[in-house]
């Protein structure tokens, strides 16, 4: 495979698995969520030999199920967590301007006020502090105060009889699953070996020292991978994996479930996102490609981390909280999508409520050759990765360069701004609408060139997958040939977000999608059928909370 190649596909997976069997690594990373992918990129870009091993698809855990905000976390100010907020705001600035401007976009939120003076002073002071904590670099506008009339203009859906005014501020948002996959592809570009659908089943040891891991790739035989340091970035799987490995953890990871619903664009009339305070936390109403994501909840969770689903109570709670300020009220029948995720929260006190647990992260080194990291937020993944690799590097007994990821744009970021100035030219060159070119640039950045080349010999791939969605057929092929998608679920749930964006979750188009990818993935008629069945079962399970009868 050529140096600097970032493609993830079946051939790459075979080659990387063969390399895992053969070679010894500086770092082997367990878990391909945003934290593990970030560690792989941090290590590989310091010149270390890195392997990233993920049991399922990239971002198939929490990292595809967040609120998708790149934010300081306004509510952490109330918990006096200034260090976390400041760090996250610095990361937000870097992502919007340098690291991933094609993916991380500014988004405004309106904080409606229901009382004239005291609330405005309190919230206004909080937002002034929020804006000040980001320091002198400012890609996003300063917050502003709005009177009742202006609020009614910006967000006609807010109940005018109870809203006395509002304050608007800016944060940023990202397609989390796409972003994590692009971090992994960037790590690949700098030499990391990446094996998805490969489970780490145990550690290998020499005395007390951990010298690698045992892995079981899907469709292959189990084997050992040798590494000087093993880093666990297992999110909510951390505590069960410590137990399986027979290690004593320096912390406990507790799970807190958060659910979101998705409603059509016309269900809420607003030019801005909305944030309201709830009894325990906050509720976000977030614009999402012509639709709205509304959430979230925060409830302790003790079941299987592999399959969190939203309950009827979760959906009721979200609707009730949103309807405190919205008119017309949201109804259960408005909901087109629903998803739930699990926050990995660090705890040393077993009884504290999950809403009060800190979102800061912890690095643990229980035995030589083994490091783990957990906690944190999506937004702070880069800092978490740097901290984990710093601790791991101390074991390598050689000089390891400092982290360079603060200056390392993700794949597709270079030239993105220049390309946005060439939309009409690109549209003409490839015979695609300007709207579609903009959609592609915000998903692939400068990688758009490779993607569009796939349509040269197959012009039928320039068509939309579904007239109601922006995705083109070529994106499905690209997902398999360059982005490591291996199942129908990977394509519909994570490379695209059709599973929660489409009113029928993509059920009407999955047959077409399967035909596009069957050849590169080597699927015969039985496998095609099985992929569709698995997807249907997944949709049924996820939507359980929406069944009314
Ligand atoms: C509802 C909700 C909303 C959130 N909203 C935000 C937000 O708006 N902004 C923000 O900054 N943060 C947010 N977060 C937090 C953020 O999503 C998480 O902190 C982050 O995604 C955790 O990433 P991770 O890589 O640590 O874990 P994960 O993404 O869960 O990754 C762990 C990976 O380990 C893999 N794995 C497990 N066992 C094995 C094994 N044996 N072998 C190999 N691989 C294994 C899993 O398959 C999984 O992919 C939110 C979280 C939730 C739940």
């Amino acid at each position: 495979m050529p140096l600097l190649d970032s493609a993830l596909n079946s051939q790459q997976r075979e080659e990387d698995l063969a390399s895992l069997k053969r070679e010894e690594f500086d770092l082997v990373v367990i878990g391909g969520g945003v934290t593990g992918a970030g560690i792989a990129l941090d290590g590989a870009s310091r010149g270390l030999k890195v392997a990233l091993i993920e049991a399922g698809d990239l971002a198939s855990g929490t990292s595809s199920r967040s609120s998708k905000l790149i934010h300081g976390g306004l509510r952490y100010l109330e918990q006096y967590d200034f260090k976390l907020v400041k760090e996250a705001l610095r990361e937000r600035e870097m992502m919007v301007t340098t690291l991933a401007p094609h993916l991380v976009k500014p988004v405004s939120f309106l904080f409606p006020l229901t009382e004239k003076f005291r609330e405005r002073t309190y919230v206004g002071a909080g937002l002034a502090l929020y804006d000040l904590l980001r320091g002198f670099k400012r890609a996003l506008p300063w917050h502003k105060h709005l009177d009742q009339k202006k609020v009614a203009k910006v967000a006609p859906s807010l109940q005018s009889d109870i809203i006395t005014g509002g304050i608007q501020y800016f944060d940023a948002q990202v397609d989390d699953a796409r972003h994590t996959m692009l971090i992994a592809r960037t790590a690949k570009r700098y030499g990391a070996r990446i094996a998805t659908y490969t489970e780490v089943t145990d550690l290998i040891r020499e005395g007390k020292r951990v010298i690698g891991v045992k892995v079981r790739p899907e469709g292959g035989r189990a084997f050992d991978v040798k590494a000087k340091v093993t880093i666990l970035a297992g999110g909510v799987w951390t505590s069960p994996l410590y137990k399986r490995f027979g290690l004593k953890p320096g912390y406990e990871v507790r799970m807190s479930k958060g659910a979101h619903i998705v409603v059509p664009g016309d269900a809420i009339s607003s030019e801005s996102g909305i944030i309201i305070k709830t009894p325990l936390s906050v509720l976000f109403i977030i614009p999402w490609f012509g639709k709205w994501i509304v959430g979230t909840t925060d409830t302790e969770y003790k079941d299987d981390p592999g399959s969190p689903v939203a309950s009827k109570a979760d959906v009721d709670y979200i609707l009730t909280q949103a309807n405190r300020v919205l008119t017309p009220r949201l109804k259960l029948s408005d909901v087109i999508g629903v998803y739930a995720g699990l926050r990995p929260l660090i705890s040393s006190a077993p009884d504290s409520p999950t809403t009060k647990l800190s979102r800061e992260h912890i690095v643990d080194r229980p035995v030589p050759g083994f490091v783990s990291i957990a906690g944190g937020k999506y937004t702070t993944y880069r800092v978490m990765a740097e901290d984990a690799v710093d601790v791991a590097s101390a074991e390598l007994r050689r000089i390891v360069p400092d982290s360079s990821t603060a200056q390392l744009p993700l794949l597709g970021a270079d030239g993105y701004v220049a390309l946005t100035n060439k939309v009409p030219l690109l549209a003409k060159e490839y015979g695609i609408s300007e709207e579609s070119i903009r959609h592609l640039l915000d998903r692939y950045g400068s990688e758009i060139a490779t993607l569009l080349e796939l349509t040269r010999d197959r012009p039928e791939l320039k068509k939309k997958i579904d007239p109601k969605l922006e995705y083109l057929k070529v994106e499905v092929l690209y997902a398999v040939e360059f982005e490591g998608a291996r199942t129908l679920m990977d394509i519909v749930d994570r490379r695209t977000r059709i599973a929660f964006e489409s009113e029928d979750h993509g059920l009407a188009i999955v047959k077409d999608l399967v035909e596009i990818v069957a050849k590169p993935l080597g699927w015969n008629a039985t496998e095609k059928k099985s992929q569709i069945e698995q997807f249907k079962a997944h949709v049924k399970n996820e939507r359980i909370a929406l069944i009314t009868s």
Side-chain angles (χ1 to χ4, degrees):
M1 186 162 291
L3 199 65
L4 300 183
D5 190 348
S6 65
L8 301 179
N9 52 38
S10 298
Q11 188 196 338
Q12 160 274 326
R13 182 172 177 270
E14 286 310 310
E15 288 174 8
D16 283 3
L17 282 171
S19 147
L20 258 56
K21 265 183 216 164
R22 225 178 27 234
E23 294 167 43
E24 189 192 2
F25 291 83
D26 291 319
L27 309 178
V28 62
V29 186
I30 308 173
V34 72
T35 312
I39 293 169
L41 176 58
D42 189 285
S45 57
R46 294 190 201 208
L48 301 178
K49 207 167 157 186
V50 178
L52 174 65
I53 301 176
E54 162 56 50
D57 183 24
L58 293 165
S60 53
T62 305
S63 298
S64 56
R65 294 157 171 271
S66 76
S67 303
K68 310 182 197 321
L69 295 177
I70 298 300
H71 62 163
L74 197 52
R75 83 185 185 89
Y76 307 128
L77 285 183
E78 278 200 313
Q79 298 171 355
Y80 305 111
D81 222 336
F82 300 128
K83 182 173 158 265
L84 176 70
V85 175
K86 193 170 175 191
E87 188 171 71
L89 290 175
R90 204 191 55 191
E91 293 300 309
R92 182 189 74 178
E93 181 80 20
M94 271 191 244
M95 285 193 238
V96 171
T97 55
T98 317
L99 304 185
H102 51 324
L103 301 179
V104 183
K105 303 286 176 187
V107 59
S108 71
F109 283 101
L110 184 60
F111 194 117
L113 304 171
T114 49
E115 186 239 74
K116 274 241 149 86
F117 302 107
R118 213 161 40 99
E119 197 187 13
R120 188 180 286 279
T121 313
Y122 182 71
V123 178
L127 281 164
L129 178 61
Y130 194 66
D131 279 345
L132 279 171
L133 279 171
R134 65 190 160 155
F136 292 109
K137 284 193 184 164
R138 284 172 195 165
L140 306 185
W142 188 259
H143 73 280
K144 58 182 178 210
H145 285 256
L146 310 183
D147 61 19
Q148 199 176 27
K149 235 163 109 190
K150 191 78 208 272
V151 169
K153 211 164 153 219
V154 173
S157 273
L158 285 174
Q159 293 170 24
S160 55
D161 51 338
I162 57 162
I163 306 296
T164 55
I167 307 179
Q168 196 173 29
Y169 73 99
F170 280 81
D171 255 321
Q173 68 179 156
V174 72
D175 180 336
D176 47 5
R178 165 152 293 277
H179 180 253
T180 295
M181 177 273 297
L182 274 174
I183 299 172
R185 281 192 64 190
T186 313
K188 173 80 207 151
R189 187 176 199 205
Y190 294 104
R193 297 288 184 177
I194 298 182
T196 57
Y197 289 95
T198 300
E199 189 190 4
V200 172
T201 53
D202 208 346
L203 302 177
I204 15 176
R205 296 162 199 256
E206 208 170 64
K208 274 198 166 168
R209 175 171 283 278
V210 172
I211 56 158
V213 295
K214 289 186 180 300
V215 299
R216 190 169 48 212
E218 203 176 276
R221 288 186 174 195
F223 63 90
D224 289 357
V225 184
K226 294 260 176 65
K228 296 194 178 81
V229 188
T230 296
I231 307 183
L232 172 61
V236 288
W237 286 266
T238 302
S239 294
L241 284 176
Y242 259 85
K243 208 166 161 198
R244 188 195 288 181
F245 299 156
L247 293 174
K248 194 169 173 306
Y251 57 87
E252 195 202 335
V253 174
R254 285 175 49 198
M255 298 186 274
S256 140
K257 188 176 74 169
H260 291 86
I261 59 169
V262 182
V263 296
D266 58 10
I268 299 168
S269 169
S270 176
E271 291 165 15
S272 171
I274 297 168
I275 176 173
I276 57 169
K277 237 171 120 29
T278 59
L280 285 177
S281 177
V282 291
L283 187 89
F284 289 106
I285 300 177
I286 309 162
W288 181 262
F289 302 102
K291 300 184 176 60
W292 298 96
I293 293 180
V294 189
T296 180
T297 57
D298 192 334
T299 46
E300 176 128 44
Y301 182 86
K302 295 205 161 156
D303 294 334
D304 173 15
S307 50
V309 287
S311 66
K312 273 200 164 67
D314 293 330
V315 175
D316 280 351
Y317 171 85
I318 295 170
L319 290 174
T320 307
Q321 293 302 326
N323 286 334
R324 280 174 39 216
V325 294
L326 291 181
T327 179
R329 294 164 68 79
L330 292 180
K331 301 180 295 301
L332 185 60
S333 57
D334 291 325
V335 180
I336 55 176
V338 59
Y339 64 87
L342 298 174
R343 298 176 187 87
L345 301 179
I346 301 299
S347 157
S348 42
D351 296 327
S352 49
T354 54
T355 44
K356 293 266 186 290
L357 291 180
S358 166
R359 267 51 175 173
E360 285 187 37
H361 63 269
I362 290 189
V363 183
D364 187 31
R365 185 180 159 275
V367 285
F370 184 88
V371 170
S372 84
I373 180 154
K377 287 152 51 88
Y378 196 102
T379 308
T380 52
Y381 84 89
R382 199 198 58 78
V383 185
M384 292 173 68
E386 181 175 341
D387 287 355
V389 178
D390 278 347
V391 173
S393 296
E395 302 229 10
L396 293 175
R397 296 200 195 121
R398 63 175 203 259
I399 294 172
V400 174
D402 287 343
S403 172
S404 63
T405 53
Q407 291 89 38
L408 188 62
L410 297 188
L411 194 73
D414 65 309
Y416 164 73
V417 179
L419 287 168
T420 58
N421 294 328
K422 289 190 162 295
V423 170
L425 272 177
L426 287 166
K428 207 162 157 216
E429 164 82 12
Y430 288 97
I432 291 178
S433 73
E434 291 188 19
E435 199 188 353
S436 289
I437 294 286
R438 268 186 225 102
H439 154 86
L440 294 176
L441 280 174
D442 287 346
R443 288 170 50 75
Y444 304 89
S446 53
E447 274 293 292
I448 192 176
T450 316
L451 176 120
L452 287 173
E453 278 310 304
L454 295 175
T455 65
R456 287 257 190 233
D457 302 330
R458 296 182 61 185
E460 76 278 9
L461 294 177
K462 292 183 203 169
K463 289 213 175 93
K464 282 189 175 179
I465 292 173
D466 174 329
K468 287 199 205 132
L469 298 168
E470 276 305 314
Y471 303 109
L472 306 186
K473 290 187 175 174
V474 65
E475 295 182 66
V476 177
L477 183 63
Y478 184 86
V480 165
E481 296 204 336
F482 291 88
E483 298 182 336
R486 294 183 60 75
T487 70
L488 183 59
M489 280 267 299
D490 300 350
I491 295 166
V492 186
D493 219 18
R494 287 177 288 274
R495 300 307 180 276
T496 70
R497 311 317 289 266
I498 296 169
F500 67 72
E501 290 173 349
S502 162
E503 287 184 23
D504 78 340
H505 319 287
L507 290 174
I509 52 168
V510 284
K511 270 197 183 141
D512 285 356
L513 303 190
V514 162
E515 288 310 323
I516 298 173
V517 298
K519 199 165 162 212
L521 288 174
W523 290 347
N524 59 19
T526 319
E527 185 57 34
K528 287 191 221 174
K529 207 169 148 213
S530 151
Q531 288 287 331
I532 292 175
E533 289 312 316
Q534 282 173 44
F535 179 66
K536 282 185 177 164
H538 167 76
V539 167
K540 200 170 163 200
N541 190 39
E542 287 252 297
R543 285 178 54 82
I544 211 120
L546 305 183
I547 297 167
T548 44
S549 57

